Every structure is written in C-alpha cells, then in structure tokens.
Amino acid sequence: MSETPQPPRIESVRELLLKQLGKLLTVEEMLARSVLPKLKQEAQDEQLQQALDEHLQQTQQHVQQVQAAFAELGAEPAGQDAAGLEGLKQERESVVAELAPAFRDGFNASAAMGTEHYEIAAYEAAIRLADAVGEAGVATLLRATLEQEVQALQKLGTHATRLAEQGVKEPAVR
C-alpha cells in the first residue's frame, strides 16, 4: 500500500499568515469573479443591485490589497482552498432553489451577509498573525480592508431587513 502524500507542514506563524492570506485571496477572487456578479444579476431590487455593484468594486480592490500584503511579505501571491466559502455557496444554492421569486432578494442579501461574516473572521485572523510576526504594514493594510468588510456587512444588513419587512407586508406584490 502506498501512503497518501501529506500536505506540507506549517512550521511557523509566518507560514500560517501566508496560508491565511492565500485563503483571503481565493475568497476575494471568487467573490469578484463569480459570486457578486451572479447576485447582482439575479437582484430585482434596484437598491440591492447598486449595493452589490459597489461591493463588487470594493472586492476587486480587496484582491489588490491582499496581493499587496503578499508583496509586503516578499512572497508570491498564492491562493489556498476556501472550503468555507464553497460551503456558503452550496447552502445558498440549495435554499434559493426552494424560494418564491418574491423572497430571493432578501434571502440573497442575508446570504451575502454570511459571506461578509466569513471574510471578517478571516481578516481578523490574518491581522492577529501579522501582528504576532511584527508585520505592522501588513496588519495596517488588512485592517483597512477589514473596515470595508464591516461597512459592507452593515449595508447588506440594512437591505436584508428592508427586503424582509417588505416581503412580510406585501408578499404577493414582489
């Protein structure tokens, strides 16, 4: 019997930081390339469309910011597995298939909030790692991105609440 090859062992906090940055790079690229454009295209509510478009533009900047963090560390940008985001996408797809069209915008805004929570947690972890290894420039860069993620979460929350309340009041109209 041959043994299954094991992934390389992470031997330092710096290596763990690079792995975390790789996960963030993959997440931001997936959001910019497919997730946010799909949500924007599906959105019927103009305000939600606009919010998703703004978030898409920010996310494209986030890709560049994560790449800049790699550069600051003198490392080549390398994506990593982002199973958490894949799980969130699959969960959304399974629920959306069951929804009446009148409730999709509200649900999609809420699902996008879940993604924001995921990103916020990932950025917070990366900031802690950057601080631990004395990479203040990287931590500062990541904190700026984290603040934008928190703001995006708040905006999406406002839309999710508005759309849910609208769906309760006028379920047949939407």
Side-chain angles (χ1 to χ4, degrees):
M1 274 202 287
S2 65
E3 288 187 28
T4 305
Q6 297 296 317
R9 179 178 226 119
I10 296 172
E11 300 284 345
S12 71
V13 174
R14 178 183 167 77
E15 289 175 11
L16 185 56
L17 172 59
L18 290 170
K19 185 168 183 74
Q20 186 71 12
L21 288 174
K23 180 171 74 171
L24 283 166
L25 181 60
T26 298
V27 167
E28 297 291 13
E29 287 175 338
M30 286 174 62
L31 290 171
R33 203 175 356 185
S34 62
V35 174
L36 290 170
K38 181 178 183 174
L39 290 178
K40 181 184 164 197
Q41 182 181 14
E42 289 179 7
Q44 298 297 307
D45 182 82
E46 287 183 33
Q47 292 177 48
L48 180 59
Q49 284 177 340
Q50 183 178 353
L52 290 168
D53 187 53
E54 289 170 10
H55 190 50
L56 174 58
Q57 291 173 28
Q58 270 190 338
T59 301
Q60 291 165 340
Q61 293 172 353
H62 295 171
V63 170
Q64 295 171 350
Q65 289 167 315
V66 173
Q67 290 171 337
F70 273 105
E72 179 101 10
L73 293 166
E76 199 63 36
Q80 295 288 327
D81 181 46
L85 181 61
E86 285 297 332
L88 290 170
K89 284 174 53 179
Q90 289 175 7
E91 181 179 316
R92 179 203 163 269
E93 290 297 324
S94 70
V95 174
V96 143
E98 300 171 8
L99 284 175
F103 304 113
R104 285 195 182 137
D105 280 352
F107 174 76
N108 282 337
S110 294
M113 289 175 64
T115 302
E116 290 307 312
H117 282 287
Y118 178 80
E119 288 180 279
I120 289 167
Y123 275 103
E124 287 176 340
I127 290 165
R128 283 176 175 69
L129 295 170
D131 284 339
V133 295
E135 292 290 347
V138 171
T140 299
L141 183 61
L142 296 175
R143 279 187 184 93
T145 307
L146 173 62
E147 181 57 36
Q148 291 177 332
E149 297 292 1
V150 169
Q151 290 171 3
L153 174 64
Q154 291 169 344
K155 287 179 185 176
L156 287 167
T158 299
H159 290 292
T161 299
R162 176 181 59 79
L163 291 164
E165 289 172 352
Q166 189 175 352
V168 168
K169 292 175 186 171
E170 306 169 26
V173 176
R174 295 202 24 135

